[in-house]
Amino acid sequence: MASNTELFERASRVIPGGVNSPVRAFRAVGGTPRFIARGEGAYIYDAEGKRYVDYIGSWGPMILGHGHPAVLEAVTKAAAEGFSFGAPTEREIELAEEILKLVPSMDQVRLVSSGTEATMSAIRLARGATGRAKFIKFEGCYHGHTDALLVKAGSGLATFGHPTSAGVTPGAAADTVVLEYNNVEQLEAAFAQYGDQLACVIVEPIAGNMNFVRASLPFMSALRRLCTAHGALLVLDEVMTGFRVALGGAQAHYARLIPGFAPDISVFGKVIGGGMPLAAFGARREVMQHLAPLGGVYQAGTLSGNPVATACGLATLREIQKPGFFEALSAKTCQLIDGLSAVAAENGVPFSADSEGGMFGFFLMPELPQNYATVMTTDKTRFNSFFHAMLDAGVYLAPALYEAGFVSAAHSQADIDATLAAARTALR
Ligand code: KE4
């Protein structure tokens, strides 16, 4: 049985940094990444056979836990019928219908293979539909690695301290306006300056790439008001929050707090694929009709709507609609963060935490931060030693203080209790 260290050395010889996505390399927290051999329910097992309570869940998709029997059965059956045809299938219709049933702000949806592809396409669609070039994003929000969106992104880039990715040309970034999250004054000023040039605003409704920062109600209301007033489209990037914070995503949560609130374009990923490569973007019919083959906005994909991935996503969406699913998931997540807050208080550690549905975040500071600059003031040394102490205790938290955490339906009371017991020693 090869050790994690041996696997990391071998991986690093053939894969840049030994990983296929930077955050997995543990560069932010130090140490050797764990090479995962398998997952089962709330647990993942590394190459050395060590078990971890998994609070990554593949960065959101594994809301049911690993290896849910109904999902495994659906995927196995679909795979036996064929992996990919490059032709339309009924199951793509079923998944589209299921998503539209749960997200009333959309009339139509297009399936793609990753969140990056979905947000890239959503920006192009907004530009094509409005005939405008500029768009607004917010520092600390990450929307995937399309050139125009890799401008002061949060998440992986924030972890490496590169506010703008190498290789993004000035031309590619020229139309991206980057503002401070939750800053209504800046937003008003940007619309005053660029209003009729803005195709859209793209925002994470709860910024999971700054760990866990909510859009304030004044901020979200201003986004909707200003987009409407200036003819810009409001794009909600729900790749992480969609079907994770609530059955109808964060937009359902905000619609309960802001009467009539709805985005113009929504982007989904992660949970809708159930762990397989699948994402989506959608809007009202009059916007979606701009997409090829109907309209002039080109967008395509060999594996878009893949038969095996759609089976996985559909089975997952059907499970999370069962009565009481989100109530139970939310209660479990609240118990986790309330427990961590209590442990931090007992140990005299500055701490704040928040959660919505099955997504949570915590900060080693007394108040919840409202923007990227504040998140950046976190005591990284203290976070990193907490992370490693928990990892050694068999609890796998996000290996970067800029990432959110995720609870699944498979996490038991015993798992939460074990996590809190480990934190009593680790949270110092
Ligand atoms: P992907 O291209 O990684 O499927 O999705 C990009 C994306 C878009 N929008 C939001 C809100 C996202 O959180 C993501 C991807 N999230 C990261 C976790 N912070 C994926 C993990 C990784 O990069 O390895």
Side-chain angles (χ1 to χ4, degrees):
M1 174 167 56
S3 70
N4 291 306
T5 303
E6 286 162 346
L7 287 172
F8 193 37
E9 284 164 2
R10 191 173 136 215
S12 300
R13 286 196 290 274
V14 292
I15 302 170
V19 293
N20 284 308
S21 199
V23 72
R24 303 176 189 172
F26 275 22
R27 299 288 285 257
V29 292
T32 302
R34 301 307 191 261
F35 281 69
I36 304 307
R38 66 185 181 90
E40 187 181 329
Y43 314 119
I44 47 178
Y45 297 79
D46 72 12
E48 297 170 13
K50 185 178 170 77
R51 190 192 85 165
Y52 303 90
V53 180
D54 178 15
Y55 289 107
I56 307 276
S58 177
W59 301 101
M62 308 318 293
I63 194 167
L64 299 176
H66 298 284
H68 187 285
V71 180
L72 188 56
E73 183 187 349
V75 168
T76 308
K77 183 173 178 295
E81 293 165 352
F83 289 4
S84 180
F85 309 114
T89 63
E90 184 178 0
R91 198 178 299 122
E92 290 163 81
I93 309 169
E94 288 178 279
L95 180 56
E97 289 169 344
E98 201 73 16
I99 293 168
L100 294 174
K101 182 181 80 175
L102 297 171
V103 186
S105 65
M106 307 193 300
D107 295 329
Q108 290 194 323
V109 66
R110 171 66 57 90
L111 303 179
V112 295
S113 299
S114 74
T116 293
E117 205 183 337
T119 56
M120 170 184 75
S121 306
I123 299 285
R124 186 180 311 131
L125 174 60
R127 286 170 158 168
T130 61
R132 300 175 179 181
K134 290 196 180 309
F135 71 92
I136 291 172
K137 77 171 294 285
F138 299 93
E139 215 176 342
C141 287
Y142 173 69
H143 304 288
H145 60 93
T146 308
D147 277 5
L149 282 165
L150 273 183
V151 180
K152 294 185 183 176
S155 185
L157 281 173
T159 303
F160 293 124
H162 300 308
T164 302
S165 169
V168 173
T169 62
D175 290 315
T176 307
V177 178
V178 184
L179 303 179
E180 183 176 77
Y181 196 77
N182 275 327
N183 189 323
V184 175
E185 196 181 322
Q186 261 193 21
L187 191 63
E188 304 265 9
F191 268 93
Q193 185 176 352
Y194 300 113
D196 60 359
Q197 300 172 55
L198 289 169
C200 67
V201 177
I202 185 167
V203 64
E204 288 186 66
I206 298 176
N209 289 286
M210 288 189 261
N211 196 312
F212 192 105
V213 180
R214 291 176 189 268
S216 71
L217 294 188
F219 180 62
M220 192 61 99
S221 303
L223 280 168
R224 181 61 280 169
R225 170 173 53 81
L226 290 163
C227 282
T228 302
H230 292 269
L233 299 179
L234 177 56
V235 182
L236 276 203
D237 179 350
E238 295 228 47
V239 167
M240 194 183 286
T241 55
F243 311 105
R244 168 55 74 168
V245 301
L247 187 54
Q251 58 189 271
H253 169 73
Y254 280 98
R256 282 194 289 276
L257 301 169
I258 305 172
F261 176 83
D264 297 303
I265 298 176
S266 300
V267 184
F268 295 101
K270 296 180 192 276
V271 169
I272 68 166
M276 299 286 277
L278 196 151
F281 63 103
R284 290 278 176 241
R285 191 179 303 278
E286 58 268 23
V287 173
M288 296 301 276
Q289 71 181 12
H290 288 276
L291 276 176
L294 299 178
V297 179
Y298 194 68
Q299 183 275 329
T302 303
L303 298 179
S304 294
N306 174 271
V308 183
T310 49
C312 193
L314 207 48
T316 301
L317 288 191
R318 285 173 175 155
E319 286 299 320
I320 68 172
Q321 291 180 68
K322 289 188 172 169
F325 179 90
F326 271 96
E327 290 76 4
L329 185 66
S330 301
K332 214 175 323 186
T333 311
C334 288
Q335 191 189 358
L336 173 69
I337 64 162
D338 292 347
L340 289 172
S341 301
V343 168
E346 285 162 23
N347 295 358
V349 175
F351 189 89
S352 54
D354 195 0
S355 72
E356 192 67 40
M359 179 174 159
F360 69 91
F362 60 84
F363 299 89
L364 300 179
M365 54 181 76
E367 300 295 324
L368 286 170
Q370 296 302 305
N371 57 50
Y372 178 71
T374 312
V375 173
M376 290 290 279
T377 64
T378 299
D379 179 344
K380 295 174 185 63
T381 307
R382 194 175 214 170
F383 174 86
N384 292 353
S385 62
F386 174 52
F387 168 81
H388 278 289
M390 293 296 273
L391 194 67
D392 292 346
V395 177
Y396 200 123
L397 297 170
L401 62 85
Y402 308 101
E403 298 287 0
F406 305 95
V407 175
S408 83
H411 284 73
S412 67
Q413 184 63 52
D415 297 324
I416 304 292
D417 294 345
T419 303
L420 298 179
R424 277 190 197 94
T425 312
L427 195 49
R428 293 263 170 244

